[in-house]
Amino acid sequence: MSNLAPEPEFQQAYNELVHSLQGSKLFQTSPELKAALPVVSVPERVIQFRVTWEDDKGNFQVNRGYRVQFNSALGPYKGGLRFHPSVNLSILKFLGFEQTFKNALTGLNMGGGKGGSDFDPKGKSDNEIRRFCYAFMRELSKHIGQFTDVPAGDIGVGGREVGYLFGAYKSYRNQFEGVLTGKGITWGGSLIRPEATGYGLVYYVAHMISYSSGGKETFAGKRVAISGSGNVAQYAALKVLELGGKVISLSDSKGALIVTGERGFNETDIELIAKLKLERRYLTELHTAEDSFQSRFRYLPGERPWSHVDKVDVALPSATQNEVSEQEARALIAKGCKFLAEGSNMGSTQEAINVYEADRSSRKADGLWYGPAKAANCGGVAVSGLEMAQNSQRVSWTSEQVDKELAGIMERCFWNCLNTAKEYYDVAEGELPSLVAGANIAGYVKVVSAMKEQGDWW
């Protein structure tokens, strides 16, 4: 990769995978699988295009649009669209690479992809966002379809944006098909889709807690630090509350809210935050305006919660990539954190992951157990896959049916990661298996085996 422009985020994701594979018995027992590594690490197709649109003042604007169609060995490309000023090819390649193995871990027939634009929806009117979405889809519609590539939402792309993008696709292609997931419930969307990533994250951690305690412990009474305040964080928080845990932090790009007393966030607090985020506003505004927030929480501008929470049992990074540093990882361990699972993609730096894994290995069952994003947050794309199934059948499942399927997928994903780690690593007595190693190996083997059978490498 020395002939390519620097791609730090993609290189980090690649290095993490390679570290797990080379440290395992995989290439000893199946040496032929090593030949697939340089093949699976290159996207099948990268599409880049300009997006021109008009703002409310009549001014001409231009942005960059992308779609990285990384791997289709297991099914149509599947992965979100991100609208954010930070979007570049390195970030989208890392996300598409991770998505490939994440989708494999769901057990559903989905390939991996990712896309988006450096467009910033914050501060834009509904009409400006609609005009941008139609301009973006004008080019993207040539490259996607229900049997080719099925995008979804991501950062900056919620229900409103998905609606505009779907309307544009339908207009340009004259087809009503399940080409996007996260749609409105009355026109092809699935129940539980907004909740899925957060719910799935908590379901995954619940299995971690149960396994490590021999079935004696649950979320009940656990102090849970969460970062972010978007869909993933909101619904993870609500599920934690439902299971008897205490949520002690939430955050956004401007700062963090930390519990000061014995009372954590409640359902009403989460509803107020959800309303705030729909209006694309910040937590500092809520803390300033609401007396109940000022009395129960401290607001730390420009900070993440990890070094500032008191005693913590579970940490759920749910904001963005690389949001837990080595120093913050050590701080969480010092505060008693036993479980950390990522609701955000690549939520921890490699240095932080090294700290987690060293603590798990050295302190055995008393150490911190780490659940990587590609496994712990696969619930969102899993329910997107269930939405695709419902669209194909022209039916809508009940909330209970979708939630049951989601819970089952997360349980199978957990055991797949756990058992794969046991198979390919020597696990010392009393030591918890490495879930990050298990996730990387299980996802890799499934994808490259399908690629070999299809002649993509030999």
Side-chain angles (χ1 to χ4, degrees), residues 35-185:
L37 188 55
V39 184
V40 77
S41 302
V42 177
E44 293 176 9
R45 189 176 299 107
V46 176
I47 301 152
Q48 183 171 344
F49 51 95
R50 69 171 177 244
V51 185
T52 57
W53 57 284
E54 184 180 290
D55 66 22
D56 286 343
K57 296 179 180 178
N59 296 322
F60 173 80
Q61 303 288 343
V62 62
N63 289 95
R64 292 174 176 84
Y66 305 88
R67 187 66 178 171
V68 177
Q69 296 177 332
F70 216 107
N71 194 291
S72 60
L74 299 179
Y77 307 108
K78 186 81 192 79
L81 296 170
R82 177 175 294 192
F83 292 169
H84 193 273
S86 67
V87 165
N88 59 39
L89 198 52
S90 174
I91 287 175
L92 295 180
K93 282 183 66 178
F94 123 64
L95 290 168
F97 188 63
E98 288 279 291
Q99 195 79 50
T100 297
F101 305 112
K102 178 191 300 187
N103 292 357
L105 291 172
T106 68
L108 304 176
N109 290 327
M110 299 182 293
K114 209 75 177 184
S117 174
D118 56 5
F119 170 77
D120 188 357
K122 288 186 177 178
K124 305 293 192 303
S125 69
D126 283 354
N127 274 329
E128 286 176 323
I129 290 172
R130 178 179 56 82
R131 286 194 290 269
F132 174 82
C133 288
Y134 268 71
F136 180 82
M137 187 55 79
R138 187 178 298 118
E139 178 62 30
L140 186 64
S141 64
K142 302 171 186 176
H143 309 285
I144 63 175
Q146 64 175 326
F147 301 115
T148 307
D149 185 348
V150 184
D154 193 76
I155 294 173
V157 180
R160 171 182 57 177
E161 289 77 14
V162 168
Y164 292 151
L165 290 165
F166 183 83
Y169 180 89
K170 184 162 61 78
S171 174
Y172 298 143
R173 296 289 293 270
N174 193 30
Q175 292 178 183
F176 191 108
E177 59 179 282
V179 71
L180 285 155
T181 55
K183 299 184 293 297
I185 194 63

Side-chain angles (χ1 to χ4, degrees), residues 309-327:
V309 292
D310 295 326
K311 183 181 181 302
V312 58
D313 301 301
V314 181
L316 303 177
S318 302
T320 189
Q321 66 262 16
N322 289 330
E323 58 171 304
V324 185
S325 67
E326 178 182 0
Q327 181 181 358

Side-chain angles (χ1 to χ4, degrees), residues 252-420:
D252 61 19
S253 59
K254 298 290 186 183
L257 280 176
I258 312 288
V259 168
T260 54
E262 289 303 311
R263 292 174 57 202
F265 288 87
N266 58 41
E267 289 86 350
T268 302
D269 298 330
I270 307 301
E271 288 174 10
L272 287 171
I273 289 170
K275 183 176 184 296
L276 186 85
K277 289 301 163 180
L278 278 176
E279 297 167 355
R280 300 190 181 274
R281 294 160 57 203
Y282 297 100
L283 294 178
T284 181
E285 301 175 52
L286 195 59
H287 187 257
T288 302
E290 295 285 337
D291 290 341
S292 65
F293 274 71
Q294 292 180 29
S295 63
R296 293 188 292 127
F297 307 103
R298 55 190 170 125
Y299 179 77
L300 301 175
E303 297 289 341
R304 297 186 290 236
W306 316 122
S307 298
H308 303 284
V309 292
D310 295 326
K311 183 181 181 302
V312 58
D313 301 301
V314 181
L316 303 177
S318 302
T320 189
Q321 66 262 16
N322 289 330
E323 58 171 304
V324 185
S325 67
E326 178 182 0
Q327 181 181 358
E328 289 167 318
R330 295 188 188 281
L332 283 168
I333 290 170
K335 293 169 188 293
C337 187
K338 294 290 298 293
F339 307 94
L340 185 146
E342 294 168 333
S344 55
N345 291 307
M346 203 165 73
S348 305
T349 66
Q350 186 59 54
E351 293 77 14
I353 294 172
N354 294 342
V355 170
Y356 309 151
E357 290 292 274
D359 192 60
R360 175 191 59 80
S361 179
S362 65
R363 294 202 296 140
K364 305 295 190 293
D366 292 327
L368 183 146
W369 204 14
Y370 166 56
K374 63 170 59 72
N377 77 16
C378 76
V381 73
V383 173
S384 283
L386 300 180
E387 181 176 327
M388 292 165 65
Q390 293 170 75
N391 290 169
S392 296
Q393 297 174 298
R394 298 291 193 271
V395 298
S396 295
W397 299 346
T398 64
S399 295
E400 293 77 13
Q401 190 175 356
V402 178
D403 196 34
K404 182 179 178 181
E405 291 286 340
L406 170 63
I409 288 169
M410 299 312 298
E411 181 177 10
R412 291 190 292 273
C413 179
F414 169 78
W415 286 106
N416 188 11
C417 296
L418 186 88
N419 291 329
T420 301

